[in-house]
Amino acid sequence: MKKIIDGLYNFWKWRKVIYNDRDWDHYFIYEMLKTKLENMSDHFNKYGMRERDNKDSETMMHCVRLIEKIQNEECADEAIKQMMAEKWDPEIAMKFQIKHDRLRKSLFDIIDKNIEYWWT
């Protein structure tokens, strides 16, 4: 009975993510990861039992902010603003693509270093 109640609670908690999910865009994979990290961060803040839980929660929220930057394509927006003032410049576009790639790499480096620790 507890598993059924937990399952219904999880379904309710994830309903917006599940409803809005689309298979054709990387945005939604990030959305699932962001939701998972937000939920875990909240759980660590409320029920943490380890000394590092607050620090881990902060790290998770840092990952959430990185995901939001990636999802919102902030690097592309910066490049477009800069190029609107000038003309199309492939070097500017490449510079901001590199910045976007660094954001993504930073996100997954943090997750790689912590993922097994967070979920154990």
Side-chain angles (χ1 to χ4, degrees):
M1 190 62 161
K2 175 142 175 45
K3 285 186 178 185
I4 293 171
I5 292 170
D6 288 345
L8 291 171
Y9 174 76
N10 283 335
F11 181 76
W12 183 255
K13 190 166 62 170
W14 282 82
R15 72 191 180 285
K16 292 177 186 174
V17 175
I18 293 167
Y19 180 79
N20 291 315
D21 182 40
R22 303 295 179 267
D23 289 336
W24 61 81
D25 195 340
H26 62 277
Y27 180 92
F28 299 102
I29 291 171
Y30 284 119
E31 193 64 24
M32 288 182 188
L33 181 57
K34 182 173 78 169
T35 301
K36 182 67 171 177
L37 290 169
E38 288 171 332
N39 290 342
M40 290 297 295
S41 176
D42 288 347
H43 182 83
F44 278 29
N45 279 330
K46 290 179 186 173
Y47 308 108
M49 299 176 67
R50 298 180 298 187
E51 196 172 305
R52 284 193 45 159
D53 282 346
N54 285 340
K55 175 73 174 140
D56 289 336
S57 176
E58 290 171 15
T59 303
M60 289 175 190
M61 291 311 295
H62 176 68
C63 288
V64 167
R65 289 187 293 277
L66 289 173
I67 290 170
E68 289 170 347
K69 287 182 179 185
I70 293 166
Q71 285 180 307
N72 295 331
E73 297 182 349
E74 288 184 13
C75 297
D77 290 346
E78 289 177 42
I80 290 167
K81 285 178 189 172
Q82 190 169 343
M83 285 189 275
M84 286 176 77
E86 303 168 14
K87 61 177 185 169
W88 172 258
D89 185 348
E91 288 183 27
I92 293 174
M94 182 59 74
K95 178 178 106 176
F96 286 101
Q97 180 62 48
I98 290 168
K99 187 175 179 182
H100 176 82
D101 292 345
R102 285 183 183 153
L103 281 174
R104 192 180 62 243
K105 183 172 178 1
S106 177
L107 168 67
F108 286 105
D109 283 347
I110 293 168
I111 291 171
D112 182 49
K113 290 176 186 169
N114 292 286
I115 194 163
E116 290 183 2
Y117 177 75
W118 286 343
W119 281 275
T120 57

